[in-house]
């Protein structure tokens, strides 16, 4: 056995002994005992991929990663997308999400970046399947992110609603980020391309109407689905520590950056390109 083989066998043994504990009833797992700046070989990523598929969201505490190291880790999951409105100064493939003085700006339809329930970039024709968010600077209080499991949301709908929405499609717009940003039409219920589990796929930030319904019908149905999709029973609320990296599956999960702070909060984010939702 060569030295390289010996190292990789040791790595496999140790990463399979990771400490994995549930983050909440609805979703999520906390993963301890891994340094993502170093431990991101193919076998490790495959193992983490199966944990993400099972739990929909993974919390990795204490990850000391520069933006470039975060990008390198992100690239192990697939092709990275850029975002029209946010770029880190060192790389286009890490998004810099920062701001302050955003406390309780509760005007209808007005959210700081990441506020309002959404799945990332659903206006894109191939929206990200995975997001990784890394906490770089945090307010002394507040600034949590809430997540909601959209498989459970779909599965707990009544049969009549499931039938009503089975073949519907919805229009999602990215124009909030600029006049040239694309719009897309996606199914209201999407089927996860790896687990084959169905999930609700509409959100208050980017979904503007349901194709083929009158404005009134569309608004009433969307409002009902938005309210159901974010019931507290389906959620996990992440209270950030510095250097936490949280990854989630946008095919299963919506999220909401809670704007209840007025000190600086800085996050670095990567998003991994997905397929066309179906
Ligand atoms: C996002 O929408 O991806 C940002 C979430 C956050 O800043 O908590």
């Amino acid at each position: 056995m060569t030295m390289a083989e010996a190292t990789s066998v040791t790595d496999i043994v140790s990463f399979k002994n990771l400490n994995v504990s549930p983050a909440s009833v609805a979703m999520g797992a906390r993963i301890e005992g891994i340094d993502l700046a170093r431990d991101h070989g193919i076998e490790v990523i495959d193992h983490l991929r199966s944990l993400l598929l099972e739990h929909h969201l993974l919390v990795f505490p204490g990850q000391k990663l520069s933006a470039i190291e975060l990008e390198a880790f992100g690239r192990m999951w697939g092709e990275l997308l850029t975002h029209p409105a946010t770029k880190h100064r060192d790389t286009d493939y890490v998004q810099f999400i920062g701001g302050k003085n955003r406390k309780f700006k509760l005007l209808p339809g007005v959210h700081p970046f990441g506020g309002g329930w959404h799945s990332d970039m659903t206006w894109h024709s191939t929206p990200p399947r995975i997001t990784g968010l890394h906490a770089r600077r945090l307010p002394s209080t507040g600034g949590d992110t809430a997540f909601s499991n959209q498989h459970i949301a779909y599965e707990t709908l009544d049969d009549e609603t499931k039938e009503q929405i089975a073949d519907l499609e919805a229009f999602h717009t990215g124009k909030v980020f600029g006049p040239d940003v694309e719009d897309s039409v996606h199914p209201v219920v999407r089927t996860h391309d790896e687990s084959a589990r169905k999930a609700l796929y509409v959100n208050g930030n980017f979904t503007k109407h349901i194709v083929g319904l009158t404005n009134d019908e569309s608004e009433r149905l969307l409002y009902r689905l938005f309210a159901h999709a974010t019931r507290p029973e389906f959620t996990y609320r992440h209270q950030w520590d510095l250097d936490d990296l949280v990854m989630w599956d946008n095919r299963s999960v919506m999220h909401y950056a809670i704007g209840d702070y007025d000190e600086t909060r800085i996050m670095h984010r990567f998003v991994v390109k997905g397929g066309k939702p179906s």
Side-chain angles (χ1 to χ4, degrees):
M1 188 181 282
T2 66
M3 193 59 185
E5 280 164 345
T7 308
S8 89
V9 170
T10 313
D11 283 352
I12 292 166
V13 172
S14 62
F15 82 72
K16 291 224 162 130
N17 291 334
L18 290 175
N19 189 355
V20 179
S21 52
S24 74
V25 173
M27 83 185 89
R30 189 175 168 90
I31 315 284
E32 279 158 314
I34 189 163
D35 173 358
L36 297 176
R38 192 197 59 195
D39 306 327
H40 60 230
I42 289 169
E43 298 93 343
V44 177
I45 298 296
D46 277 351
H47 185 59
L48 296 181
R49 204 185 297 278
S50 66
L51 287 173
L52 185 62
L53 205 55
E54 181 182 349
H55 298 283
H56 318 297
L57 173 145
L58 302 178
V59 178
F60 300 98
Q63 300 300 324
K64 303 241 178 265
L65 298 167
S66 66
I68 298 299
E69 287 170 327
L70 183 68
E71 178 185 349
F73 173 68
R75 284 193 188 283
M76 293 304 296
W77 295 80
E79 183 184 338
L80 300 185
L81 292 175
T82 58
H83 189 281
T86 59
K87 286 184 192 355
H88 190 277
R89 63 170 188 269
D90 294 339
T91 163
D92 288 357
Y93 292 94
V94 169
Q95 295 143 35
F96 178 95
I97 300 174
K100 60 178 176 178
N101 298 327
R102 311 196 302 190
K103 200 172 187 179
F104 299 124
K105 289 197 176 149
L106 297 181
L107 301 172
V110 176
H111 299 291
F113 191 96
W117 282 105
H118 64 288
S119 172
D120 278 328
M121 297 166 67
T122 61
W123 41 267
H124 201 284
S125 49
T126 55
R129 54 193 166 88
I130 294 168
T131 297
L133 192 65
H134 188 216
R136 307 303 295 140
R137 184 161 165 189
L138 294 171
S140 47
T141 182
D144 296 355
T145 307
F147 297 88
S148 182
N149 183 330
Q150 295 306 288
H151 291 310
I152 306 182
Y154 172 76
E155 287 155 9
T156 52
L157 286 169
D158 59 75
D159 288 344
E160 200 181 320
T161 307
K162 279 186 187 156
E163 205 173 309
Q164 179 188 11
I165 64 178
D167 298 317
L168 292 179
E169 294 186 314
F171 173 82
H172 299 242
T173 184
K175 296 289 180 279
V176 63
F177 298 119
D180 299 327
V181 177
E182 70 179 309
D183 301 324
S184 291
V185 169
H186 297 307
V188 168
V189 180
R190 72 177 293 180
T191 304
H192 196 288
D193 45 302
E194 291 177 82
S195 69
R197 216 171 149 190
K198 290 183 176 176
L200 264 185
Y201 197 61
V202 286
N203 70 81
N205 281 18
F206 306 128
T207 313
K208 289 302 158 204
H209 67 259
I210 295 186
V211 178
L213 300 192
T214 65
N215 277 350
D216 222 37
E217 288 167 339
S218 169
E219 255 173 43
R220 263 187 282 136
L221 179 55
L222 281 176
Y223 185 82
R224 190 151 65 83
L225 294 176
F226 294 159
H228 176 78
T230 56
R231 279 178 54 174
E233 292 82 358
F234 311 154
T235 66
Y236 163 65
R237 180 167 170 156
H238 186 69
Q239 199 170 2
W240 293 91
D241 281 323
L242 207 60
D243 297 327
D244 280 354
L245 171 62
V246 175
M247 293 185 71
W248 63 88
D249 187 333
N250 284 298
R251 298 163 292 187
S252 316
V253 170
M254 284 209 290
H255 59 283
Y256 187 128
I258 299 173
D260 58 355
Y261 56 93
D262 56 9
E263 296 166 293
T264 301
R265 175 183 187 269
I266 295 174
M267 313 298 264
H268 288 173
R269 185 177 89 161
F270 67 81
V271 292
V272 182
K273 186 178 174 196
K276 194 164 170 39
S278 60

